[in-house]
Amino acid sequence: MSDPIISIRKLRKVFRVGEVDIEALRGVDLDVPRGEFLSVVGPSGSGKSTLFHIVGGLTPPTSGTVLVGGEDLSKLGDEGRTRLRQKTVGFVFQKFNLLPTLTAGDNIEVARYIAGNRNGPDPEFLRILELLGITHRLNHKPNALSGGEQQRVAIARALVNRPAILLADEPTGNLDSENSAAVLGLLRGLNRRLGQTVLMITHNPEAAAYGDRIVRMQDGRIVA
Amino acid sequence: MIGKLVVENVRTRPVPTLLSILLIAVPVTLILILVGLSHGLVNDSQRRALGVGADILLRAPSSNLMSMSTATIPQELIPKLLTFPHVVAATGVVTQSAGGLLETVTGIDPAAFNRMSGGFEFVEGHTFQKPDDIILDRYYAEQKKVHAGGKIHLMNRDWNVAGIVEPGKLSHIFVQIGVLQDLFSTPGMVSQIYLKLDDSKNTDAVVADLKSKLPGYPVYSMRDLVSMTSVDALPVLSTFTHVIIGIGVLIAFVVVCLSMYMAVLQRTREIGILKAIGAPKIFILQMILAEALIMGFGGTVFGILLSYGTRALLHSLVPSSLPQAVVYIWWPISGGIALGAALLGALYPGFSAAQKDPIAALSYE
Ligand SMILES: Nc1ncnc2c1ncn2[C@@H]1O[C@H](COP(=O)(O)OP(=O)(O)O)[C@@H](O)[C@H]1O
Ligand SMILES: [Mg+2]
C-alpha cells in the first residue's frame, strides 16, 4: 500500500473569540489511505467540521502536521491553500452552497474556470455527470432543482477538477431519506468505480455505514 | 466566465444598479452641460463678432475685454479714423445691457453698419423707420415669441418689432444708435468702433499705427479677438466646471462605494462559496471592480443621453442666450472621470470581499 493521502499528527486548532480561546481540535492523529471512504461521526461541536476545514485548506492549523498528498498544510500560506482548494480537494456541504445566480452547468463550469482548466469537460468527468444523473438538469438555476438534484450538482462541482479528496460535511443533512440514500449510493459508487477518496461527516449511523471505516470524534479528539 | 458571473450579479439586483447608474449620470450630464455651454457661448460670440465684417475693433480707454463698456468714445473720432491709410469703412456702436442673462442691446448706424457687414437678411418685416423700432435676430424673437409688428418691453420701455433677421451679426437685439444715446444721456458717444480695411493683410500695420496715434485706446484685430474669446476666457464657467467635476467624482465614488458595499454584504455567502472552490483574492476583486465599471459606463452613456435632452430643452426655451454645443472630446473625459471614480469607490468593498474568511462567509445567513 502507498503512503496515505492524508496524514495528520497532533493537530490542534484554537479559535480566539474576543478574550476566550476555544479549542476546537485538541490533538488529532489520523491517516487516510488513498481510495478509502471514511465516515466521521460524533456529537455536535466535537470538531468534525473544523477538521475538514483544515484538511480542505479553508483555515490553517494552529499546530501539528497535516500532510495532504505529501504537502504540509501547516507550512502553506493563503495562496497555497487557495491552490489546494482548486486542485486537491472538493467540498460538499449540508446546505448545497450552489451560486444562486448561475445555472447548474455554470456552477460546475465556474469551478473549472477558477482552477485554470480551460479545456472543457474530460471524458471521465462526463461519466461522472452521467453517474450523477443530472445531465438533463444543467440548464436550470438551483432554485428550480430539488434538494437531491442540487446536492448532485454540488458533488459534480466538487469533482470537476478531479481532486484527490472529496470532503462531504453532512451531505444528507438537508435531504429526505430517499434522496439521502441516493446521494450516499452515489458517493459509494464514485468511491468504488473511480477510486475516489471520500471523507464524510454524518450524524446518521445508517449513513456512516456506507463508509469503509468509521471514526468517532469527541471534544476535539478522535476517540475510536 | 467571470463576465457571466458579473452580468448575473448585476441582473439579480437591477434596482440598486439602475439607481447607481442614474446617480452617476447626473454629474456626467452636468459636466457636459457646462462644457457645452462654455463652447456654445464662445462659438456664438465668435460667429457674431466675425459677422460684423470688420478687421479692427477700437474700444474705449480703460475698458476691459470681458466687461460691457459704456459709451465714452466721442463719435467725432470716426471721420478721423477714416483718414487713416487702408481704412475704408468705420462704424460706431453703442452697447447696453438689457438686464437679462447675456442680453445686450446694440445701437447701430444702419447705413454704416450695413456697408460693413453686408446688411441684414430679413426673415420678417423691414429696417428701422421710427425711433422706437427694434430689430431682433431669429433666435431672440423665437425665445420671446414675438413677430414683426409686435411689441417688446426692454430697458423700461416698449419697442415696436420692425424686423426679424437671421442671426450672426454682432448682436441679438438692435436699435438705432441715436435712440440709445438719448435714452442713456450719452449723446455723441459710442462704446466701440469697428474698422474695415482695404485688405485684411494690412491689419497688423494699421493696429500698430492706431496704437501709436491714439494712446490709451485698446485696439484689437478681430482675428486676435476671436481667438482670445476661447473657453478659458470664461473664467467663471471653467472654475464652475472644475467644481462640478470634483462633486461628480465624489458622487460617483460614494454611490459606487455604498452600492458595492451593500452588494458584498448581501453576497457574503456566495463569496464564501467562490473561495471554497478555490477563487483567489484577485478573482473576487475583479468581479467587484467589473460590476463597478458597468455602473460607471452605464452612468456615462446615460449622462450623455441626458445632455442631449437638456440641449433640446435649452434650445426650445432660450435659443439665443444659452446655446449648448456638443463637445465630443468631453465624452471620453467625463466617462473617464465617472469610471475612475467608480473604480475607486469599488476598491474598498472589493478588497473587503477578497479578504473575507471563507468559513465565516459560508456560515453567514
Ligand atoms: N470560526 C469559529 N470561531 C470560533 N469558534 C468556532 C469556529 N468554528 C468552530 N468553532 C467552535 O469549535 C468547536 C467545534 O466546532 P465544529 O468543528 O463546527 O464542530 P462539529 O462540526 O463537530 O459540530 C465548537 O465549539 C465551535 O463552536
Ligand atoms: Mg459541523
Side-chain angles (χ1 to χ4, degrees):
Chain A
M1 179 115 193
S2 61
D3 287 342
I5 183 85
I6 300 172
S7 181
I8 299 170
R9 294 290 175 275
K10 295 185 183 149
L11 169 61
R12 286 168 31 87
K13 178 71 181 180
V14 181
F15 291 106
R16 178 134 212 148
V17 181
E19 298 285 297
V20 195
D21 281 342
I22 297 174
E23 286 195 85
L25 298 176
R26 311 170 180 230
V28 172
D29 297 300
L30 178 68
D31 284 319
V32 181
R34 202 179 284 274
E36 184 172 53
F37 187 158
L38 178 74
S39 296
V40 180
V41 299
S44 204
S46 57
K48 306 182 296 294
S49 293
T50 303
L51 176 65
F52 273 38
H53 292 157
I54 290 173
V55 170
L58 285 174
T59 187
T62 303
S63 66
T65 54
V66 180
L67 295 178
V68 172
E71 196 163 31
D72 189 351
L73 300 200
S74 64
K75 299 204 169 65
L76 281 188
D78 194 63
E79 274 175 45
R81 284 196 300 278
T82 298
R83 192 167 27 77
L84 183 89
R85 300 198 292 269
Q86 289 173 2
K87 315 263 190 200
T88 315
V89 298
F91 278 101
V92 175
F93 301 94
Q94 177 176 357
K95 287 183 176 162
F96 319 137
N97 279 339
L98 298 176
L99 293 167
T101 57
L102 297 184
T103 62
D106 285 340
N107 263 280
I108 297 168
E109 280 310 306
V110 81
R112 190 205 303 280
Y113 177 89
I114 283 172
N117 178 352
R118 307 286 144 84
N119 298 329
D122 56 289
E124 198 167 51
F125 182 67
L126 291 176
R127 245 185 82 208
I128 294 177
L129 280 183
E130 213 129 295
L131 208 69
L132 293 169
I134 47 168
T135 334
H136 62 295
R137 304 294 279 162
L138 292 180
N139 288 326
H140 292 76
K141 296 245 170 115
N143 59 12
L145 301 177
S146 73
E149 285 171 329
Q150 288 189 57
Q151 196 59 300
R152 288 183 224 184
V153 173
I155 293 171
R157 180 182 64 185
L159 294 178
V160 68
N161 297 313
R162 309 305 336 277
I165 302 160
L166 180 67
L167 297 170
D169 189 344
E170 303 193 41
T172 59
N174 274 356
L175 298 178
D176 57 34
S177 54
E178 197 178 325
N179 276 305
S180 293
V183 163
L184 289 166
L186 284 169
L187 288 179
R188 188 165 59 188
L190 289 165
N191 170 257
R192 295 282 189 270
R193 295 194 203 186
L194 305 174
Q196 177 69 51
T197 309
V198 180
L199 277 69
M200 177 180 72
I201 295 172
T202 179
H203 271 120
N204 182 336
E206 264 178 62
Y210 278 78
D212 303 319
R213 174 165 70 113
I214 300 176
V215 296
R216 171 172 299 277
M217 288 190 71
Q218 195 153 2
D219 298 329
R221 291 190 188 89
I222 288 177
V223 292
Chain B
M1 198 67 224
I2 194 164
K4 211 174 209 169
L5 202 54
V6 172
V7 169
E8 290 303 326
N9 279 343
V10 169
R11 280 181 35 181
T12 48
R13 21 175 258 130
V15 174
T17 305
L18 284 179
L19 277 179
S20 306
I21 286 177
L22 198 79
L23 281 166
I24 296 170
V26 170
V28 168
T29 307
L30 282 179
I31 292 171
L32 292 177
I33 291 175
L34 274 172
V35 170
L37 281 180
S38 312
H39 283 78
L41 286 171
V42 167
N43 293 347
D44 182 59
S45 78
Q46 286 180 348
R47 197 162 60 98
R48 283 185 289 112
L50 289 174
V52 179
D55 295 300
I56 292 173
L57 170 65
L58 188 125
R59 294 189 59 136
S62 77
S63 68
N64 133 356
L65 199 57
M66 278 299 139
S67 73
M68 184 83 61
S69 57
T70 45
T72 53
I73 308 174
Q75 62 193 23
E76 287 84 64
L77 195 57
I78 297 175
K80 275 188 210 148
L81 290 168
L82 280 168
T83 66
F84 273 73
H86 303 300
V87 176
V88 296
T91 185
V93 305
V94 174
T95 53
Q96 189 63 49
S97 167
L101 183 62
L102 306 165
E103 280 180 349
T104 304
V105 179
T106 304
I108 55 170
D109 169 358
F113 187 79
N114 286 352
R115 227 175 295 131
M116 185 167 292
S117 66
F120 289 122
E121 205 179 311
F122 279 87
V123 183
E124 288 178 27
H126 49 72
T127 188
F128 302 112
Q129 287 171 346
K130 296 201 213 78
D132 56 352
D133 277 355
I134 194 167
I135 293 178
L136 309 176
D137 78 353
R138 190 165 44 77
Y139 286 164
Y140 191 75
E142 280 170 7
Q143 185 175 326
K144 292 292 173 181
K145 299 189 174 60
V146 289
H147 290 276
K151 291 233 181 292
I152 186 164
H153 191 82
L154 275 173
M155 301 178 293
N156 287 323
R157 44 161 56 212
D158 284 325
W159 301 83
N160 294 314
V161 180
I164 292 169
V165 297
E166 280 299 337
K169 294 233 159 86
L170 185 63
S171 181
H172 296 298
I173 310 166
F174 302 91
V175 298
Q176 293 167 85
I177 190 164
V179 178
L180 208 53
Q181 284 169 335
D182 287 349
L183 196 59
F184 290 94
S185 312
T186 54
M189 296 294 189
V190 297
S191 310
Q192 50 208 28
I193 299 173
Y194 290 93
L195 301 178
K196 193 183 178 80
L197 305 185
D198 51 1
D199 188 336
S200 299
K201 285 199 201 99
N202 299 319
T203 305
D204 290 339
V206 177
V207 167
D209 193 19
L210 286 168
K211 276 186 175 163
S212 70
K213 302 228 171 84
L214 296 167
Y217 278 91
V219 181
Y220 309 95
S221 85
M222 290 304 285
R223 196 184 54 234
D224 291 352
L225 201 62
V226 162
S227 62
M228 276 162 77
T229 43
S230 68
V231 173
D232 306 320
L234 292 167
V236 183
L237 271 180
S238 73
T239 309
F240 202 45
T241 306
H242 287 133
V243 171
I244 293 292
I245 287 175
I247 293 174
V249 167
L250 198 71
I251 291 180
F253 174 86
V254 171
V255 163
V256 172
C257 193
L258 280 176
S259 175
M260 291 317 295
Y261 186 80
M262 304 261 294
V264 164
L265 209 62
Q266 259 177 23
R267 293 189 205 131
T268 296
R269 193 178 180 88
E270 290 161 55
I271 290 162
I273 295 170
L274 284 168
K275 296 201 100 174
I277 61 178
K281 289 189 170 114
I282 187 79
F283 182 95
I284 312 277
L285 184 64
Q286 276 173 0
M287 190 176 77
I288 305 294
L289 293 186
E291 197 167 334
L293 280 182
I294 289 178
M295 289 180 181
F297 186 77
T300 304
V301 171
F302 193 58
I304 289 172
L305 291 179
L306 275 182
S307 77
Y308 273 95
T310 64
R311 182 163 178 266
L313 196 70
L314 283 175
H315 191 75
S316 70
L317 291 181
V318 282
S320 76
S321 45
L322 290 175
Q324 183 189 330
V326 178
V327 190
Y328 295 103
I329 180 71
W330 274 84
W331 287 9
I333 297 176
S334 59
I337 291 166
L339 287 178
L343 272 186
L344 280 180
L347 273 183
Y348 172 70
F351 274 113
S352 81
Q355 297 291 350
K356 275 189 196 299
D357 172 44
I359 300 175
L362 279 170
S363 57
Y364 185 88
E365 289 304 324

